[in-house]
Amino acid sequence: VQLQAFGGGLVQAGGSLRLSCAASGSIFNIRDMGWYRQVPGKQRELVAKITITGISEYNEFLRGRFTISRDNARDTVYLQMNRLKPEDTAVYYCNADITPHYGQGHTGQYWGQGTEVTVSS
């Protein structure tokens, strides 16, 4: 089981980016999926997460600019980021709570490899 994130890059302040993260492998089910971000020297922080039924939770400082969504049929989570600011510059990691098919891995948290977002002023 693995998660792979796509969509990071360089964008000017005020611009938008859409991140996606697909889970692959022998998956029985996926519960919460989410996005976190980390700046060097700081702790990883929650950006947003979403349940299998579509209930979302946001970092209160990002609500209104960022929108999380998921496609359960594709085991994919998305993060639409609008009105980006230089302080949004970070490595963004996707996360999912996964149960693999029997014997195919551990049940619990899986992390993607991280995708870098840089917002220039």
Side-chain angles (χ1 to χ4, degrees):
V1 174
Q2 62 178 356
L3 297 175
Q4 187 153 14
F6 304 92
L10 173 65
V11 64
Q12 285 191 328
S16 298
L17 279 176
R18 189 189 194 213
L19 307 182
S20 61
C21 175
S24 62
S26 186
I27 295 170
F28 178 67
N29 69 22
I30 304 177
R31 291 167 296 281
D32 290 1
M33 303 184 82
W35 291 94
Y36 291 73
R37 67 185 187 183
Q38 189 167 22
V39 175
K42 294 189 176 182
Q43 282 192 326
R44 192 171 295 187
E45 65 174 359
L46 172 71
V47 176
K49 60 182 180 180
I50 186 167
T51 68
I52 192 170
T53 58
I55 298 171
S56 56
E57 175 184 338
Y58 291 90
N59 179 319
E60 62 176 303
F61 297 106
L62 303 176
R63 184 186 297 272
R65 295 192 298 120
F66 289 14
T67 303
I68 191 170
S69 60
R70 67 188 281 176
D71 183 338
N72 292 331
R74 292 182 167 82
D75 292 337
T76 299
V77 62
Y78 305 95
L79 184 69
Q80 177 67 41
M81 304 185 294
N82 297 327
R83 302 193 305 279
L84 283 160
K85 304 176 180 180
E87 51 264 43
D88 295 319
T89 295
V91 177
Y92 286 69
Y93 296 91
C94 59
N95 169 272
D97 186 7
I98 296 174
T99 297
H101 285 291
Y102 182 75
Q104 299 303 308
H106 72 275
T107 291
Q109 302 296 318
Y110 286 79
W111 291 91
Q113 82 283 11
T115 184
E116 192 163 355
V117 171
T118 303
V119 184
S120 63
S121 57

